[in-house]
Each structure stands twice: as C-alpha cells, then as structure tokens.
Amino acid sequence: ASGLLLAAQSSFGTTTQSIVDAQLNNVTFFGNTSTTGAAFANYTVGKATLTTDLKNGTFNANVADGRNVVAGSAIQLTRSSTDSTNKLNLDSSILWGNTTEGGATGSSIGYSGEPASVLVSNSIVQGSGGSAAWDTTLGTDKGGNLDLDPKLGPLQNNGGFTSTMLLGVGSKALDALDCAAAASPATDQRGFQRPQPTGGQCDMGAVEMRNAS
C-alpha cells in the first residue's frame, strides 16, 4: 500500500496464520487510539510468518490507552508462539509525539508474547536515543537513526488526495537521506516527486518538502 492516511481510528494491522509479506510506503498514522499499537499492530499465531516493510511513514499523536503494560504507542508486534515469525523493517520513518495513558510502561514500539524482530534504519524515533545511544528494547538499530524533534506541522491539506504533515524549517528529517542508498520511493504520499529538488537528498517521513532548508 502507498499514500495511506489513517486518522482517528482504533488501529491498523494484521492477524495472520499464514505466510504474508506486506509493504507500506508513504503512510501517515495520526490520532489513533488502541489498547496496544495505537497506530499499527501485527499479530501472528501458530506457525505464521509475517514480514512488514514500512518505509517513509509518519506516526504522530497516537495513543495506547494503557490496558496493556507492553503497549507500543505507535507500533505493536505480538508473536503468540516460538513457531511464528513477526518481523518489521522500519525505514526512513518518523515516530514522534505518540503516548501511552493509564500508567502503562510504553514506548514508540511495543511487544508482547514471544520476542519479535524489528530492524530500524534512517528514522526519527522519540525516546530511542538515536543510533548513538540506541534503546535496544525498541529493536535493532541499523544506523542513521535520530532522536530529535522533526518539527511536524498540523495534519491538513497540503496537496494530493490525503491530508499530510509538513516538516518545519530546521527539521533534521529534511534532506536526511541519500535517495539511492535508502531506496526512497519515487514520490511521496501526495504523489510529489522525491527528491526536491531533483538530484538532491530525500526527506524522512511521508512528505517530501520542496526547497527544503
């Protein structure tokens, strides 16, 4: 899926008992609420194998309401048995301003059941410490990660078919990626070309800014 907006819903995700490979590019998850994985939740049972590649996502203002103490405020992976596989490759994305309530000990990425696999690269993840001081409870640092305010603007019409959140001036998400090395999508959530300008660097998150500075 590409160019997706999920806002003010309960959650988005997959429960599987089979072999599934999922790809999500240029997606915004905003203002969603759930007991776990307020924005995105994957659950595997039996001998299921689930691999999700999530590239250039923006997660903001999502709330895990605290009924599960391992709640991830943005993303939750649940692996019911040692026979199942639940893997997430998170790349070029922004997880910022997501919270838990009700006293839960939560973070941007949460787990329950058997350990799952999360590989994070070239992303801004709040509370992670960035690659320099990575919090290993969030998954495996694959380099290029930051823990700095991306200066997200409000969810609004910025062109294209869905609402998006622009990056503010001075955001470290701007021009943060070598487009070829990061295998950035050719366009952003709105269908605007990556990079801007042509020949430049690509931005983290669902939106590519024009004349970024």
Side-chain angles (χ1 to χ4, degrees), residues 4-207:
L4 172 72
L5 166 69
L6 188 76
Q9 302 293 323
S10 58
S11 191
F12 174 89
T14 302
T15 299
T16 185
Q17 301 183 55
S18 58
I19 299 175
V20 176
D21 292 312
Q23 176 77 51
L24 293 172
N25 295 331
N26 297 323
V27 292
T28 296
F29 294 87
F30 177 85
N32 302 288
T33 302
S34 180
T35 56
T36 60
F40 181 86
N42 276 349
Y43 184 87
T44 57
V45 297
K47 296 183 178 181
T49 297
L50 174 60
T51 301
T52 303
D53 295 320
L54 201 162
K55 183 181 289 288
N56 288 99
T58 297
F59 294 75
N60 179 252
N62 301 290
V63 180
D65 72 6
R67 283 178 278 172
N68 188 325
V69 296
V70 292
S73 58
I75 295 171
Q76 178 80 14
L77 300 183
T78 300
R79 181 170 167 242
S80 66
S81 73
T82 56
D83 292 327
S84 67
T85 301
N86 197 342
K87 182 178 180 180
L88 172 66
N89 299 312
L90 182 70
D91 185 27
S92 307
S93 295
I94 297 171
L95 281 65
W96 197 268
N98 306 288
T99 59
T100 58
E101 293 181 350
T105 311
S107 60
S108 296
I109 303 170
Y111 307 87
S112 61
E114 298 295 329
S117 173
V118 176
L119 307 179
V120 186
S121 56
N122 303 316
S123 296
I124 291 179
V125 181
Q126 188 171 20
S128 68
S131 289
W134 184 254
D135 179 356
T136 57
T137 65
L138 298 174
T140 301
D141 168 54
K142 300 298 288 184
N145 296 308
L146 302 172
D147 187 359
L148 298 168
D149 188 349
K151 301 183 179 180
L152 292 170
L155 185 73
Q156 63 184 21
N157 181 1
N158 296 303
F161 292 103
T162 55
S163 297
T164 51
M165 307 176 75
L166 299 182
L167 299 169
V169 174
S171 170
K172 295 301 182 181
L174 292 167
D175 295 337
L177 307 171
D178 180 299
C179 302
S184 299
T187 58
D188 71 1
Q189 182 176 322
R190 304 167 296 173
F192 293 3
Q193 177 184 308
R194 293 184 190 270
Q196 297 280 350
T198 301
Q201 297 282 98
C202 286
D203 300 339
M204 296 176 178
V207 172

